[in-house]
Amino acid sequence: MSKSSAAANGHALWQKMPKANAELFALTYGTLVTELVRDYETTEEINEQLEKMGYSIGVRCVDEFLAKADQAGMTIPSCRAFGETAEVLAKTGFRMFLGISVEVQMISDSSFSLLIYENPLSLFVELPADPKWKDLHYSNLYCGILRGSLEQVNLKVECTFVKDVLRGDDVNEIRVELKEVLQDGAGEEYQEE
């Protein structure tokens, strides 16, 4: 799928999605993070919980994505390379669900970075200057969403925040590294014992 068709598909799907108020969305997410800060003692535990929540969302996003695309009469072709997958995520997925465009920066055939210039999760957010919070990845939910959605299409990945605007960087950057192409479509949590 070309970059322009992925972007056009993302825009068309965004138009069909029900919208939520961005400020309400950001404040609700902020409340969720605040509760995690109260419930967990370390930033590692908070980051892990955000990633787990994101994973649960991600496994459902693929179904929603394909259903809305089918409903809109769009055909989403199978991606033949990891770079094509990156473009569909950035130009179609992020646009459809959040209304934002994300840039892709290929690192290698098995890794890429997503550059997020406008992050709706971090509206109205300032992290405390206390060094205790220096490792908190406020938007780590994205990493879980990416991991969960890619696992649903048989790609086991590792996602990490590399840069964060809330830390003074000029852009949010999430690195996605392909670890394995899975043979079975079911995620780890859905395997029979």
Side-chain angles (χ1 to χ4, degrees):
M1 177 181 283
S2 73
K3 290 181 184 183
S4 60
S5 67
N9 283 348
H11 183 71
L13 290 170
W14 169 249
Q15 297 300 324
K16 295 185 181 298
M17 291 293 289
K19 310 293 186 287
N21 181 297
E23 288 85 10
L24 178 62
F25 178 66
L27 293 172
T28 302
Y29 182 74
T31 302
L32 170 77
V33 175
T34 301
E35 284 301 311
L36 290 175
V37 167
R38 288 183 186 140
D39 292 346
Y40 295 93
E41 301 202 6
T42 67
T43 55
E44 291 80 23
E45 290 174 310
I46 297 165
N47 290 337
E48 182 181 324
Q49 289 303 311
L50 289 169
E51 202 274 345
K52 281 182 181 178
M53 289 177 192
Y55 179 85
S56 295
I57 293 168
V59 297
R60 290 163 182 82
C61 282
V62 171
D63 289 335
E64 180 78 8
F65 174 75
L66 294 173
K68 293 291 184 192
D70 185 51
Q71 192 177 44
M74 292 178 194
T75 304
I76 307 293
S78 296
C79 298
R80 294 180 303 270
F82 201 48
E84 289 179 26
T85 304
E87 289 297 330
V88 170
L89 278 170
K91 305 293 186 224
T92 309
F94 272 89
R95 179 71 178 169
M96 176 184 167
F97 289 108
L98 295 171
I100 61 172
S101 292
V102 175
E103 296 299 317
V104 175
Q105 184 179 59
M106 290 303 296
I107 307 298
S108 70
D109 289 343
S110 63
S111 68
F112 61 85
S113 285
L114 296 175
L115 306 176
I116 306 170
Y117 291 95
E118 45 184 306
N119 180 359
L121 293 181
S122 63
L123 290 176
F124 315 116
V125 176
E126 281 186 34
L127 295 179
D130 186 343
K132 175 183 177 180
W133 303 111
K134 73 178 178 63
D135 293 325
L136 176 66
H137 297 294
Y138 185 82
S139 300
N140 209 40
L141 187 81
Y142 289 142
C143 291
I145 291 171
L146 291 166
R147 186 174 69 87
S149 60
L150 288 171
E151 199 166 289
Q152 289 303 105
V153 294
N154 297 339
L155 300 173
K156 184 173 186 156
V157 298
E158 184 177 293
C159 302
T160 52
F161 254 89
V162 179
K163 294 182 181 178
D164 192 341
V165 171
L166 296 174
R167 300 258 166 258
D169 296 313
D170 58 339
V171 65
N172 294 295
E173 180 180 347
I174 300 173
R175 178 80 37 87
V176 180
E177 294 183 36
L178 179 63
K179 294 298 180 187
E180 178 184 359
V181 176
L182 302 171
Q183 299 304 313
D184 182 18
E188 292 172 4
E189 286 140 25
Y190 299 102
Q191 299 290 331
E192 290 185 28
E193 295 182 23

